[in-house]
């Protein structure tokens, strides 16, 4: 990445599912959020739906999306989002992250998964901003914060670092009537408190400190992208705020901005 640019925030977005596009409220919330942000030169996406180690770098050209879901009506499999590739950003990511302790690998044919394109289509519907997706190389919160810290210089180059997950994520607690299981509500309330207090240590130890953590996250993959965003905004944690709150299909859709 070259040239000067306005410093971008680091964000964590709860991405929902492909059905999000039909929700009467959430798409407008995402669109309003992006409208308040500086326009990115490029977007670096870390989605809960790609775990691979060592860290993997996705397509740097325009390739088809990955429809990594099952059993939905056919029109959800016809969605497109042909963003420009981001080869320069991929080079920067390699330089920032490729160390003896963190090698990288390339997957030039891997398109954006639904954790990436579902929120991006609502936030940047013109698909005219280069997007690069990289994998989660671990679910360890401290290692992910360190990864985000190493990526932080990209923010000064106009890159929006976006972690995409779901603030609570348990298929057994999901329901179409948006009834909220007490475990989801408890975890979200705890998350609001520790985020508001800028308590990084508490967040890092969420499995022990958060109420109902194992019910809210049977696996921590959907919370993991938050730690990359927190690492990328480590020097500005006091600016952290929840931009979107509430529940969708019974899951907490809390989304966070730092910077």
């Amino acid at each position: 990445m070259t040239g000067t640019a306005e410093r971008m925030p680091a964000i964590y977005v709860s991405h929902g599912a492909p059905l999000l596009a039909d929700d009467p409220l959430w798409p407008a919330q995402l669109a309003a959020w992006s409208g308040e942000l500086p326009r990115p030169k490029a977007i670096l996406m870390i989605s809960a739906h790609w775990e691979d180690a060592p860290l993997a770098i996705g397509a740097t050209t325009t390739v088809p999306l990955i429809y990594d879901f099952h059993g939905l009506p056919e029109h959800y499999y016809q969605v497109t989002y042909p963003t420009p590739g981001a080869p320069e950003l991929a080079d920067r990511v390699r330089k920032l992250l490729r160390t003896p302790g963190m090698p990288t690998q390339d997957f030039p044919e891997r398109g954006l998964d639904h954790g990436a394109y579902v929120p991006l289509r609502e936030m940047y519907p013109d698909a005219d901003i280069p997007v690069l997706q990289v994998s989660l190389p671990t679910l360890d919160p401290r290692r992910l914060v360190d990864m985000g810290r190493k990526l932080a210089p990209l923010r000064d180059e106009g890159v929006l670092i976006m972690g995409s997950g779901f603030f609570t994520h348990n298929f057994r607690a999901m329901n179409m009537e948006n009834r909220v299981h007490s475990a989801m509500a408890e975890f979200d309330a705890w998350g609001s408190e520790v985020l508001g207090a800028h308590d990084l240590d508490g967040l890092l130890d969420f499995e022990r400190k958060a109420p109902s953590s194992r019910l809210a996250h049977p696996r921590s993959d959907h919370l993991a992208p938050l730690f990359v965003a927190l690492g990328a905004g480590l020097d500005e944690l006091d600016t952290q705020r929840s931009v979107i709150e509430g529940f969708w299909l019974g899951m907490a859709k809390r989304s966070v901005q730092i910077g």
Side-chain angles (χ1 to χ4, degrees):
M1 307 294 293
T2 58
T4 60
E6 184 173 358
R7 191 178 208 206
M8 297 298 300
I11 69 173
Y12 167 79
V13 57
S14 290
H15 63 241
L19 286 72
L20 178 154
D22 302 323
D23 187 77
L25 174 63
W26 202 357
Q29 292 177 314
L30 289 166
W33 187 8
S34 62
E36 295 172 356
L37 298 173
R39 180 173 171 82
K41 292 178 63 177
I43 297 170
L44 180 64
M45 170 61 70
I46 304 95
S47 160
H49 292 277
W50 191 13
E51 297 176 52
D52 208 333
L55 182 132
I57 295 172
T60 58
T61 58
T62 305
V63 300
L65 300 176
I66 296 175
Y67 305 104
D68 52 335
F69 44 84
H70 306 281
L72 295 183
E74 181 61 26
H75 69 271
Y76 291 111
Y77 301 89
Q78 305 302 321
V79 169
T80 61
Y81 191 68
T83 60
E88 290 185 15
L89 178 55
D91 287 342
R92 286 289 289 137
V93 169
R94 292 186 193 99
K95 290 175 182 175
L96 291 168
L97 292 184
R98 184 178 284 166
T99 65
M102 188 178 284
T104 63
Q105 55 181 328
D106 293 295
F107 286 81
E109 302 302 320
R110 191 190 190 280
L112 302 177
D113 58 51
H114 86 266
Y117 75 78
V118 164
L120 285 174
R121 286 183 76 242
E122 307 306 329
M123 297 179 78
Y124 300 102
D126 293 335
D128 57 352
I129 298 173
V131 177
L132 177 71
Q133 185 172 350
V134 299
S135 71
L136 284 166
T138 177
L139 296 182
D140 180 88
R142 287 169 177 80
R143 290 177 60 193
L144 291 170
V145 167
D146 185 59
M147 173 181 162
R149 181 183 59 79
K150 292 175 179 176
L151 292 169
L154 296 173
R155 294 177 55 203
D156 291 314
E157 300 168 22
V159 177
L160 178 62
I161 298 174
M162 182 185 297
S164 175
F166 220 151
F167 201 71
T168 63
H169 190 259
N170 185 332
F171 284 115
R172 293 190 175 187
M174 287 184 176
N175 65 87
M176 296 304 293
E177 291 76 32
N178 199 27
R179 292 191 300 270
V180 180
H181 190 286
S182 60
M184 308 302 122
E186 290 168 357
F187 185 91
D188 182 60
W190 174 85
S192 175
E193 181 178 344
V194 293
L195 284 165
H198 315 126
D199 182 3
L200 180 60
D201 289 337
L203 287 163
L204 289 170
D205 200 19
F206 78 93
E207 289 184 317
R208 290 195 306 156
K209 293 186 175 179
S212 306
S213 62
R214 292 304 177 99
L215 289 173
H217 290 282
R219 290 189 78 246
S220 62
D221 52 333
H222 276 69
L223 196 62
L226 171 64
F227 296 109
V228 181
L230 290 170
L234 205 57
D235 62 343
E236 293 184 297
L237 288 185
D238 60 346
T239 69
Q240 181 282 134
R241 62 188 180 94
S242 292
V243 179
I244 297 174
E245 300 176 337
F247 294 84
W248 185 77
L249 302 187
M251 299 296 104
K253 62 180 187 178
R254 185 171 301 279
S255 298
V256 173
Q257 178 175 328
I258 306 158

